[in-house]
Amino acid sequence: MKTINSLSGGKTSSYIAANYPADYNVFSLVRTKDEASKFKDDKIRRLVEDKIQAPFIATAEDDTIIYTMLDLEQYIGKEISWVTGPTFEEVIRNHGGFLPNKVARYCTTDMKTMPIAQWRHKNVEGDAEMR
């Protein structure tokens, strides 16, 4: 059975990646089309586009997460596969223009869980343990 660490960019998932080696480490990037939030470092922005194989203007999360994932990859000495789903704006539009709230908590599902699940089904055969 293969093991997969699902990374969010936060302390807990980074700790798991650093202390519980897995066959795969996967990070799902939440993107936005908001030009006002454009990622400041153009070299890193292009690197992110290469990793996700999709346009990258900015993240709807803290920009520090980008650097954290790049640093974590160096620290653990193993590749982190970057995936992405629809942009924040596309997810909002797909849910009738309503922002996520206590009743409709769809952002994590649409922008984190689903892209990682799709990556897993495309890249890992058989059973897998998700962390």
Side-chain angles (χ1 to χ4, degrees), residues 84-98:
T84 192
T87 65
F88 182 75
E89 293 81 5
E90 291 166 338
V91 170
I92 299 299
R93 187 174 51 251
N94 292 342
H95 287 273
F98 293 99

Side-chain angles (χ1 to χ4, degrees), residues 33-56:
K33 294 178 180 178
D34 181 24
E35 287 286 341
S37 302
K38 188 172 182 178
F39 196 77
K40 308 258 185 297
D41 187 329
D42 202 47
K43 181 179 176 186
I44 298 294
R45 189 189 60 71
R46 287 191 308 272
L47 174 68
V48 170
E49 283 187 336
D50 288 344
K51 286 186 166 291
I52 62 173
Q53 295 295 295
F56 175 63

